[in-house]
Amino acid sequence: MAERMTVSYQKKPCYDIIFETNFDALAGELEGLGFSGRKLCIVTDSNVAALYKDTVYEAIKGVGSVESYVFPAGEEHKTLDTVRALYAFLIEKKFGRKDCLIALGGGVTGDLTGYAAATYLRGIAFIQIPTTLLSQVDSSIGGKTGVDFDGYKNMVGAFYMPRLVYMNLSVLSTLEPRQFYSGFAEAMKSALIADSKYYEWLIANLYEISDREPDVLLELVRRSCEIKRKIVEKDPTEMGDRALLNLGHTLGHAIEKAKDFQLTHGECVALGCVAAAFISWKKELLSMEEYYEIRDMFVPFNLPISVDDLEPERILALTKSDKKMENDRIRFILLEKIGKAVVDISVTDDQILEAIGEINFTEEDAHE
C-alpha cells in the first residue's frame, strides 16, 4: 500500500502526494481522477525520455489515448519557446480542457509543463511525476510553475496546482551523483527553515543518505514534503510564510545566472544558504558555531561552500533583478536559529557583499 499525503487549499483537499517504488499504481490513480478515455500527454526531456518514457507509457496506455512530447534537456530550454512548441503540439493533437498533461522529469520539466497546463485553454489538468531528488523534495509540490526569461529564473509563471504528485522513489537509483546531491541541498534547506530535529536526523543519517538506502530516502523525501506541505497550505501564493522556502535562493539564483547555469540549482542553493547563514551570524541571530556547522554540513554531500571568481558587484545587481523584491529592498531569508527562518528586508548591500566575499574563492585566496 502506497503512502499518501494530502495537500489542502483553504482547508479543502486539493491533491495527493503518493510515495511508491514503481509505476504500477499510476493507471488506477489517473482513472480515479476521472481521466479514463481522455487524452494524456507525457511531457519529458530527452534525458528522462530514454529512461522512463516507455515505462510510463506502458503503465498508463489502458487509461486513454497517450501521446508524448520530448524537448531537449537542460535549463537553457526552460523557456517560452519550448512552451510555445508544446502548445502547437497540443493543438495539433486536439487536446481539450478535460485532458491531462503528465510532467515526467525534474524541476525544469515540472515547472515548464505546469506553466503550459496553467495557460493552455486557460487551464488544463496536469500531474507531476518527479524523477530527481530535487523535484521530489521541493519543486513538484506547491503549484509554482514557470519558465526563465532572458536568463532570469522563473520570471514568467503562475501558481497552478497539479491534480496529483506521484513519487516513484526507485528512480532515484539512476540519478548521477551530482544531481542526487543537488537535491540534498533542498532537503537541507527544508530542515534549516522549519525542523531542527530533521536537521539532526540528516546529520545522523549522512552515510545512509549517500548510500541511497531506500527506507532512508523515503524518510528524507517524506519529511521534506511534509515541511513544504504545511507551509504552502498556509500560504499558497507566497504572500507570507511561503517566502521562507526561498532560503538560499536569492543569491543562489544570482550565482546560477552569473555562472551561465554551469552549476546545478542545488549547488547554488547550498552557496546561497551558506551566505544567508553567514549574514545571520553577523546579525547575531546565529552563533559562530551554528554558522560553521551549517556551512560544513554541505561538504559531505559534495556541495560547494565557495565558488571561484564571483564578481561581487554583479551578483549584488542580479539579486536586485529577483522577483522577490519588496519596495526596492531584497526580501532576504535569514535564520533565527536552526529550524526557524525569518523574512528580513533590512539586509544592506554591504552585508550582502560581505557574504558574497565569504563564498568567493579568488586567485588571491589560492596563493595565501
Side-chain angles (χ1 to χ4, degrees), residues 4-7 17 19 136-137 141 190 194-195 198 219-233:
R4 188 178 294 260
M5 180 185 297
T6 300
V7 180
I17 304 169
F19 304 93
Q136 289 189 356
V137 301
I141 301 154
S190 296
D195 191 338
Y198 180 33
E219 182 75 358
L220 183 150
V221 173
R222 186 188 60 76
R223 291 179 77 161
S224 295
C225 288
E226 180 66 15
I227 289 169
K228 188 158 190 182
R229 179 189 70 82
K230 289 179 179 178
I231 291 174
V232 300
E233 283 183 342

Side-chain angles (χ1 to χ4, degrees), residues 124-198:
I124 182 175
F126 86 109
I127 74 166
Q128 294 267 22
I129 305 180
T131 60
T132 64
L133 183 59
L134 191 149
S135 58
Q136 289 189 356
V137 301
D138 185 65
S139 63
S140 66
I141 301 154
K144 270 191 177 181
T145 73
V147 294
D148 304 340
F149 186 79
D150 285 349
Y152 293 98
K153 289 278 290 187
N154 300 323
M155 290 300 284
V156 178
F159 289 99
Y160 192 68
M161 299 297 176
R163 294 290 303 279
L164 174 73
V165 179
Y166 189 99
M167 310 255 189
N168 175 0
L169 296 174
S170 71
V171 303
L172 298 179
S173 65
T174 65
L175 272 183
E176 63 176 35
R178 189 179 180 193
Q179 289 298 326
F180 178 78
Y181 292 128
S182 177
F184 177 82
E186 290 285 4
M188 173 64 83
K189 176 211 74 178
S190 296
L192 288 171
I193 65 171
D195 191 338
S196 60
K197 289 184 178 179
Y198 180 33

Side-chain angles (χ1 to χ4, degrees), residues 19 39-40 99 105 124 179 204 256 269 333 345:
F19 304 93
K39 290 186 176 71
L40 308 169
D99 299 324
I124 182 175
Q179 289 298 326
E256 271 187 281
V269 168
I333 311 304
I345 60 169

